[in-house]
Amino acid sequence: MFMTGRLAFSTLALLLFGVPAAAQTGPDIPEPMVFDMIRPLTAKAGEIEVNTLAQRDLTGPRGELEWAPEVELAVADGFAVELELPLIDSRVVQYKMGLQKRLGSFRGGRSVHGVQYLGLHDREEGGWTSTLLWLLGNRFGERWSTMTMLGVGDVTLREGNETGTIINHSTFYDVNPDTVLGLEMNRQNGQGAYWLLMPQVHRAIGKLGVQGGVGAEKARGERFRPRLGLRLIREL
């Protein structure tokens, strides 16, 4: 527990005070729909985005609408922050913030990586949880690309926390400059273990973006259930 806590503080220091991101920005890679990034790793200073993700199980006991408006700001090239307000129906259940920093690019600019910190306060159960992730984006030719996010959560220094691994991998195919097809897979271990498979379509209309999909989610001890997801995005 002490080591994960020290890792959390070291990563926060890197995000806030680390060396500037490499001048080479890296490839253009779509963002996953469900496990949202805090702007692309290639974001430029001053970029602002507001978006909302809405999800709902189509069968089973959890029929509430889960949605989360958020605002994302690139405060420097390759360094972005976000504030998010997760809700269930009309009830605010959490407060969430995030930091993300590009570390550099390689493979001749076809790959880019970075780190992300997510902090979350649960209004109903209390307490603060933290997630640390390493992000790796790869482009393979003009149409295929992937985004892989690997990390752990919760890494806070408190009694009884259960650190679980998080794996989110998305494969994308660019149909044309405005349309992307994707398949997102998310796996989390620990107390809140679950699987998520989400085929998705991304469509850009000027500065407005729409992402939607129907997939399947499996919580611990349950069977897979169909799940609907929709994200609306507006760049300012």
Side-chain angles (χ1 to χ4, degrees), residues 121-139:
H121 171 67
D122 193 311
R123 295 187 67 237
E124 299 183 338
E125 298 183 5
W128 180 269
T129 58
S130 294
T131 299
L132 293 174
L133 296 157
W134 176 62
L135 283 55
L136 173 64
N138 289 291
R139 176 152 290 279

PDB file of all heavy atoms in Angstrom, residues 121-139:
ATOM      1  N   HIS A 121     -14.445  11.648  -5.687  1.00  0.00           N
ATOM      2  CA  HIS A 121     -15.071  11.699  -4.364  1.00  0.00           C
ATOM      3  C   HIS A 121     -16.486  11.152  -4.473  1.00  0.00           C
ATOM      4  O   HIS A 121     -17.291  11.633  -5.273  1.00  0.00           O
ATOM      5  CB  HIS A 121     -15.111  13.129  -3.828  1.00  0.00           C
ATOM      6  CG  HIS A 121     -15.939  13.273  -2.584  1.00  0.00           C
ATOM      7  ND1 HIS A 121     -15.579  12.703  -1.373  1.00  0.00           N
ATOM      8  CD2 HIS A 121     -17.125  13.908  -2.366  1.00  0.00           C
ATOM      9  CE1 HIS A 121     -16.500  12.984  -0.469  1.00  0.00           C
ATOM     10  NE2 HIS A 121     -17.448  13.706  -1.045  1.00  0.00           N
ATOM     11  N   ASP A 122     -16.790  10.141  -3.658  1.00  0.00           N
ATOM     12  CA  ASP A 122     -18.114   9.521  -3.646  1.00  0.00           C
ATOM     13  C   ASP A 122     -18.989  10.257  -2.637  1.00  0.00           C
ATOM     14  O   ASP A 122     -18.723  10.239  -1.435  1.00  0.00           O
ATOM     15  CB  ASP A 122     -17.996   8.044  -3.266  1.00  0.00           C
ATOM     16  CG  ASP A 122     -19.278   7.265  -3.537  1.00  0.00           C
ATOM     17  OD1 ASP A 122     -20.354   7.742  -3.115  1.00  0.00           O
ATOM     18  OD2 ASP A 122     -19.206   6.189  -4.150  1.00  0.00           O
ATOM     19  N   ARG A 123     -20.047  10.925  -3.122  1.00  0.00           N
ATOM     20  CA  ARG A 123     -20.918  11.712  -2.245  1.00  0.00           C
ATOM     21  C   ARG A 123     -21.783  10.836  -1.355  1.00  0.00           C
ATOM     22  O   ARG A 123     -22.195  11.262  -0.274  1.00  0.00           O
ATOM     23  CB  ARG A 123     -21.836  12.626  -3.067  1.00  0.00           C
ATOM     24  CG  ARG A 123     -21.108  13.689  -3.853  1.00  0.00           C
ATOM     25  CD  ARG A 123     -22.094  14.649  -4.500  1.00  0.00           C
ATOM     26  NE  ARG A 123     -22.802  15.448  -3.522  1.00  0.00           N
ATOM     27  CZ  ARG A 123     -24.124  15.492  -3.400  1.00  0.00           C
ATOM     28  NH1 ARG A 123     -24.889  14.742  -4.189  1.00  0.00           N
ATOM     29  NH2 ARG A 123     -24.699  16.274  -2.510  1.00  0.00           N
ATOM     30  N   GLU A 124     -22.078   9.602  -1.782  1.00  0.00           N
ATOM     31  CA  GLU A 124     -22.995   8.752  -1.033  1.00  0.00           C
ATOM     32  C   GLU A 124     -22.269   7.884  -0.007  1.00  0.00           C
ATOM     33  O   GLU A 124     -22.751   7.702   1.103  1.00  0.00           O
ATOM     34  CB  GLU A 124     -23.802   7.892  -2.002  1.00  0.00           C
ATOM     35  CG  GLU A 124     -24.642   8.746  -2.952  1.00  0.00           C
ATOM     36  CD  GLU A 124     -25.498   7.911  -3.875  1.00  0.00           C
ATOM     37  OE1 GLU A 124     -25.171   6.720  -4.090  1.00  0.00           O
ATOM     38  OE2 GLU A 124     -26.505   8.444  -4.389  1.00  0.00           O
ATOM     39  N   GLU A 125     -21.111   7.349  -0.374  1.00  0.00           N
ATOM     40  CA  GLU A 125     -20.360   6.496   0.547  1.00  0.00           C
ATOM     41  C   GLU A 125     -19.200   7.222   1.208  1.00  0.00           C
ATOM     42  O   GLU A 125     -18.626   6.727   2.171  1.00  0.00           O
ATOM     43  CB  GLU A 125     -19.845   5.259  -0.191  1.00  0.00           C
ATOM     44  CG  GLU A 125     -20.960   4.371  -0.744  1.00  0.00           C
ATOM     45  CD  GLU A 125     -20.419   3.124  -1.407  1.00  0.00           C
ATOM     46  OE1 GLU A 125     -19.176   2.912  -1.339  1.00  0.00           O
ATOM     47  OE2 GLU A 125     -21.209   2.367  -1.979  1.00  0.00           O
ATOM     48  N   GLY A 126     -18.850   8.392   0.708  1.00  0.00           N
ATOM     49  CA  GLY A 126     -17.736   9.145   1.261  1.00  0.00           C
ATOM     50  C   GLY A 126     -16.405   8.589   0.773  1.00  0.00           C
ATOM     51  O   GLY A 126     -16.318   7.514   0.186  1.00  0.00           O
ATOM     52  N   GLY A 127     -15.336   9.324   1.036  1.00  0.00           N
ATOM     53  CA  GLY A 127     -14.001   8.862   0.676  1.00  0.00           C
ATOM     54  C   GLY A 127     -13.554   9.328  -0.695  1.00  0.00           C
ATOM     55  O   GLY A 127     -14.344   9.774  -1.528  1.00  0.00           O
ATOM     56  N   TRP A 128     -12.249   9.252  -0.905  1.00  0.00           N
ATOM     57  CA  TRP A 128     -11.591   9.685  -2.131  1.00  0.00           C
ATOM     58  C   TRP A 128     -10.838   8.503  -2.717  1.00  0.00           C
ATOM     59  O   TRP A 128     -10.094   7.830  -2.005  1.00  0.00           O
ATOM     60  CB  TRP A 128     -10.636  10.831  -1.830  1.00  0.00           C
ATOM     61  CG  TRP A 128      -9.896  11.367  -3.030  1.00  0.00           C
ATOM     62  CD1 TRP A 128      -8.685  10.963  -3.505  1.00  0.00           C
ATOM     63  CD2 TRP A 128     -10.327  12.415  -3.905  1.00  0.00           C
ATOM     64  NE1 TRP A 128      -8.327  11.683  -4.618  1.00  0.00           N
ATOM     65  CE2 TRP A 128      -9.316  12.583  -4.888  1.00  0.00           C
ATOM     66  CE3 TRP A 128     -11.463  13.231  -3.958  1.00  0.00           C
ATOM     67  CZ2 TRP A 128      -9.409  13.529  -5.908  1.00  0.00           C
ATOM     68  CZ3 TRP A 128     -11.560  14.166  -4.976  1.00  0.00           C
ATOM     69  CH2 TRP A 128     -10.538  14.322  -5.928  1.00  0.00           C
ATOM     70  N   THR A 129     -11.024   8.220  -3.988  1.00  0.00           N
ATOM     71  CA  THR A 129     -10.300   7.149  -4.661  1.00  0.00           C
ATOM     72  C   THR A 129      -9.479   7.726  -5.801  1.00  0.00           C
ATOM     73  O   THR A 129      -9.838   8.755  -6.392  1.00  0.00           O
ATOM     74  CB  THR A 129     -11.250   6.074  -5.214  1.00  0.00           C
ATOM     75  OG1 THR A 129     -12.170   6.674  -6.129  1.00  0.00           O
ATOM     76  CG2 THR A 129     -12.026   5.409  -4.089  1.00  0.00           C
ATOM     77  N   SER A 130      -8.369   7.062  -6.103  1.00  0.00           N
ATOM     78  CA  SER A 130      -7.452   7.533  -7.133  1.00  0.00           C
ATOM     79  C   SER A 130      -7.131   6.413  -8.112  1.00  0.00           C
ATOM     80  O   SER A 130      -7.008   5.251  -7.718  1.00  0.00           O
ATOM     81  CB  SER A 130      -6.145   8.035  -6.505  1.00  0.00           C
ATOM     82  OG  SER A 130      -6.363   9.188  -5.712  1.00  0.00           O
ATOM     83  N   THR A 131      -6.982   6.783  -9.364  1.00  0.00           N
ATOM     84  CA  THR A 131      -6.607   5.843 -10.413  1.00  0.00           C
ATOM     85  C   THR A 131      -5.426   6.406 -11.189  1.00  0.00           C
ATOM     86  O   THR A 131      -5.415   7.586 -11.536  1.00  0.00           O
ATOM     87  CB  THR A 131      -7.783   5.598 -11.376  1.00  0.00           C
ATOM     88  OG1 THR A 131      -8.882   5.047 -10.661  1.00  0.00           O
ATOM     89  CG2 THR A 131      -7.380   4.643 -12.495  1.00  0.00           C
ATOM     90  N   LEU A 132      -4.427   5.569 -11.445  1.00  0.00           N
ATOM     91  CA  LEU A 132      -3.256   5.950 -12.221  1.00  0.00           C
ATOM     92  C   LEU A 132      -3.195   5.082 -13.465  1.00  0.00           C
ATOM     93  O   LEU A 132      -3.341   3.853 -13.381  1.00  0.00           O
ATOM     94  CB  LEU A 132      -1.976   5.774 -11.409  1.00  0.00           C
ATOM     95  CG  LEU A 132      -1.792   6.698 -10.214  1.00  0.00           C
ATOM     96  CD1 LEU A 132      -0.557   6.289  -9.433  1.00  0.00           C
ATOM     97  CD2 LEU A 132      -1.682   8.142 -10.667  1.00  0.00           C
ATOM     98  N   LEU A 133      -2.958   5.704 -14.622  1.00  0.00           N
ATOM     99  CA  LEU A 133      -2.960   4.974 -15.881  1.00  0.00           C
ATOM    100  C   LEU A 133      -1.795   5.395 -16.764  1.00  0.00           C
ATOM    101  O   LEU A 133      -1.380   6.561 -16.764  1.00  0.00           O
ATOM    102  CB  LEU A 133      -4.261   5.247 -16.650  1.00  0.00           C
ATOM    103  CG  LEU A 133      -5.569   4.783 -16.005  1.00  0.00           C
ATOM    104  CD1 LEU A 133      -6.727   5.587 -16.555  1.00  0.00           C
ATOM    105  CD2 LEU A 133      -5.790   3.301 -16.266  1.00  0.00           C
ATOM    106  N   TRP A 134      -1.278   4.416 -17.507  1.00  0.00           N
ATOM    107  CA  TRP A 134      -0.320   4.681 -18.577  1.00  0.00           C
ATOM    108  C   TRP A 134      -1.062   4.528 -19.888  1.00  0.00           C
ATOM    109  O   TRP A 134      -1.786   3.543 -20.094  1.00  0.00           O
ATOM    110  CB  TRP A 134       0.848   3.702 -18.506  1.00  0.00           C
ATOM    111  CG  TRP A 134       1.832   3.846 -19.648  1.00  0.00           C
ATOM    112  CD1 TRP A 134       2.584   4.943 -19.949  1.00  0.00           C
ATOM    113  CD2 TRP A 134       2.170   2.851 -20.627  1.00  0.00           C
ATOM    114  NE1 TRP A 134       3.370   4.711 -21.047  1.00  0.00           N
ATOM    115  CE2 TRP A 134       3.143   3.426 -21.485  1.00  0.00           C
ATOM    116  CE3 TRP A 134       1.754   1.546 -20.853  1.00  0.00           C
ATOM    117  CZ2 TRP A 134       3.693   2.732 -22.557  1.00  0.00           C
ATOM    118  CZ3 TRP A 134       2.308   0.850 -21.920  1.00  0.00           C
ATOM    119  CH2 TRP A 134       3.262   1.437 -22.755  1.00  0.00           C
ATOM    120  N   LEU A 135      -0.927   5.491 -20.786  1.00  0.00           N
ATOM    121  CA  LEU A 135      -1.658   5.517 -22.045  1.00  0.00           C
ATOM    122  C   LEU A 135      -0.696   5.295 -23.204  1.00  0.00           C
ATOM    123  O   LEU A 135       0.379   5.916 -23.248  1.00  0.00           O
ATOM    124  CB  LEU A 135      -2.361   6.861 -22.234  1.00  0.00           C
ATOM    125  CG  LEU A 135      -3.653   7.135 -21.459  1.00  0.00           C
ATOM    126  CD1 LEU A 135      -3.484   6.966 -19.967  1.00  0.00           C
ATOM    127  CD2 LEU A 135      -4.155   8.542 -21.759  1.00  0.00           C
ATOM    128  N   LEU A 136      -1.071   4.426 -24.135  1.00  0.00           N
ATOM    129  CA  LEU A 136      -0.233   4.136 -25.294  1.00  0.00           C
ATOM    130  C   LEU A 136      -1.097   4.129 -26.546  1.00  0.00           C
ATOM    131  O   LEU A 136      -2.033   3.327 -26.662  1.00  0.00           O
ATOM    132  CB  LEU A 136       0.459   2.778 -25.146  1.00  0.00           C
ATOM    133  CG  LEU A 136       1.230   2.278 -26.379  1.00  0.00           C
ATOM    134  CD1 LEU A 136       2.399   3.209 -26.689  1.00  0.00           C
ATOM    135  CD2 LEU A 136       1.710   0.849 -26.164  1.00  0.00           C
ATOM    136  N   GLY A 137      -0.805   5.029 -27.465  1.00  0.00           N
ATOM    137  CA  GLY A 137      -1.517   5.083 -28.734  1.00  0.00           C
ATOM    138  C   GLY A 137      -0.610   4.688 -29.884  1.00  0.00           C
ATOM    139  O   GLY A 137       0.552   5.091 -29.939  1.00  0.00           O
ATOM    140  N   ASN A 138      -1.128   3.898 -30.812  1.00  0.00           N
ATOM    141  CA  ASN A 138      -0.369   3.454 -31.978  1.00  0.00           C
ATOM    142  C   ASN A 138      -1.207   3.626 -33.237  1.00  0.00           C
ATOM    143  O   ASN A 138      -2.406   3.342 -33.227  1.00  0.00           O
ATOM    144  CB  ASN A 138       0.010   1.969 -31.855  1.00  0.00           C
ATOM    145  CG  ASN A 138       1.062   1.718 -30.806  1.00  0.00           C
ATOM    146  OD1 ASN A 138       2.221   2.104 -30.967  1.00  0.00           O
ATOM    147  ND2 ASN A 138       0.674   1.071 -29.716  1.00  0.00           N
ATOM    148  N   ARG A 139      -0.550   4.091 -34.295  1.00  0.00           N
ATOM    149  CA  ARG A 139      -1.216   4.153 -35.592  1.00  0.00           C
ATOM    150  C   ARG A 139      -0.534   3.188 -36.544  1.00  0.00           C
ATOM    151  O   ARG A 139       0.690   3.122 -36.617  1.00  0.00           O
ATOM    152  CB  ARG A 139      -1.189   5.569 -36.169  1.00  0.00           C
ATOM    153  CG  ARG A 139      -1.797   5.631 -37.565  1.00  0.00           C
ATOM    154  CD  ARG A 139      -2.389   6.956 -37.903  1.00  0.00           C
ATOM    155  NE  ARG A 139      -3.614   7.263 -37.162  1.00  0.00           N
ATOM    156  CZ  ARG A 139      -4.835   6.808 -37.481  1.00  0.00           C
ATOM    157  NH1 ARG A 139      -4.994   5.995 -38.517  1.00  0.00           N
ATOM    158  NH2 ARG A 139      -5.884   7.159 -36.770  1.00  0.00           N
TER     159      ARG A 139
END
